[in-house]
Amino acid sequence: MQLELKTDLFIAGQWVKGAGSLPVMNPSTGQLIADISTADQEQCDAAVTAAHDAFPAWAKTSPRSRSEILRKAFEIMVAEADQIAQLISMENGKTFSDARGEVIYAAEFFRWFAEEAVRTPGDFRHAPSGDKRILVTHQPIGVSLLITPWNFPAAMATRKLGPALAAGCTVILKAASETPLTALWIVDILQRAGVPAGVVNFIMPEKTGAMVSRMMHDPRVRNLSFTGSTEVGRILLKESADLVLRTSLELGGNAPFVVLEDADIDEAVKGAMIAKMRNGGAACTAANRFIVAESVAAEFTAKLTQSMADLKMADGLSEGAQLGASVSRKERDKIAELVSASVAAGAELKLGGVVPEGDGAFYPATVLAVKSDNPILDHEVFGPVAPIVTFSSDEEAIALANATEYGLIAYVYSQDLKRSIRVAEAIEAGMVAINRGVISDPAAPFGGVKQSGLGREGGFAGIHEFLETKYIGVEI
Ligand code: NAP
């Protein structure tokens, strides 16, 4: 279907032509989708001014009215799910079914935070000494800069926009340069849902690093919410120190998928296919290291390899596609290099590993049997590659799972709940899935430990990333 795309900047409630432009490509075909506007310094400053000017009034709106705007945005998004999914598939390369799943997941953040907007808790207590009352309330932080990655162009935007708007913050959204069109569609939805001028602003800076840095050094900006790579997260965390900017970071992952010897292997393979192949493996939550008990490794490897081999790789919008393209040839080439280095270091290639010919940024489903010192285990692969390593005791499995600087999510398969909880508790991760291939849920706190980030998105915690806690001591 023909899509009507927004391609301009959105500042102070107006669609504005940018000082420059940026081509957005379809990675499945290598063709141009659209040129979008990019912002110069003055336009970035204008977005900060708009968000700053709109903040006092927005912060004072009733929680109920903010809630109803978000609820309306949820309804519009669900009604337009097919169009948005088509757009995601075009600019990101993922399959239509993955993209549609993302749209519904993304819309749920608007619904969840519509519900949270009216439930921000406070506290009123007697001081233990009896000399006063302790009143605790929460106030919106202020202008928030939201920066999102390309792998979930809708959900990573709504997971920030939902809580920010529910809390009463105004925002400047900056999407990844590969996938800005989906974010622009969402900004348009918010405008149609009734968000007042200046509350949501969208920019694509001409020079990302320098212009984001300038905004982070503008004292009118009070909060940064970033989702992306650990490498960029580290840079931003350092930058945020200068003005002691409130910062939350959702960064990379290198998820272990642990199969204990008492696991139901068919269920584990089903879960592995979801944990590995959602989004073609381009997910921070993607299972990246399959850590499998020696006694069941042959069966698990054979069944996983067969399931991977059965996948149909094709343009994400074509009939029956199960594995789409990577977001760009550059990203695809990174995957190919990691696999080549892994094979050179002794990995046994069970499936895939060969870059197909053609203009699309495709990489095939790939399975590798590796030793525990193989370099691929140290990297977030971000593609359809499943390295399998074996272990002989639960302690060894836990040590292998924890042998990474990341700590976003882990998966554990076992039919013994007590044992799997013991392993889950010993793994250093912000989230653990037991006998499931996916646990992301707008109603649950999403986030990592170690170098996977700071803070949580979603759940009851999500809105607090956009609220300050204020204590008022009252003489009685
Ligand atoms: P990325 O390269 O870090 O980019 C993410 C965003 O940061 C983009 O909007 C990018 O803009 C911007 N950016 C890049 N350099 C910057 C700088 N110096 N200053 C300010 N902003 C900068 O990540 P990606 O390749 O888009 O996404 C993949 C990564 O995101 C993976 O590591 C994945 O694990 C992680 N991720 C984490 C989560 C989570 O919830 N933990 C969820 C999804 C993805 P430009 O495009 O303009 O460069």
Side-chain angles (χ1 to χ4, degrees), residues 147-152 156 159 174-178 204 208-209 212 226-230 232 235-236 250-253 283-284 331 380 382 408 446 452:
I147 303 181
T148 55
W150 51 260
N151 65 334
F152 287 98
M156 298 303 95
R159 203 166 74 174
K174 183 241 167 289
S177 44
E178 294 89 344
M204 287 301 292
T208 300
V212 167
F226 171 79
T227 298
S229 62
T230 295
V232 174
I235 296 171
L236 297 181
E250 294 289 345
L251 308 178
C284 51
E331 280 299 318
E380 183 183 32
F382 241 56
L408 187 62
F446 186 106
S452 285

Side-chain angles (χ1 to χ4, degrees), residues 230 251-257 276 283-291 374-382 387 400-411 427-429 451-452:
T230 295
L251 308 178
N254 187 0
F257 188 102
K276 176 73 258 179
C284 51
T285 51
N288 232 13
R289 297 173 295 143
F290 290 85
I291 299 171
N374 194 281
I376 201 162
L377 300 176
D378 300 330
H379 295 275
E380 183 183 32
V381 179
F382 241 56
L400 281 169
N402 288 339
T404 169
E405 73 262 30
Y406 297 106
L408 187 62
I409 187 168
Y411 302 84
I427 293 180
E428 299 159 352
Q451 293 185 39
S452 285

Side-chain angles (χ1 to χ4, degrees), residues 6 37 83 247 405:
K6 294 284 182 200
S37 281
Q83 290 142 282
T247 302
E405 73 262 30

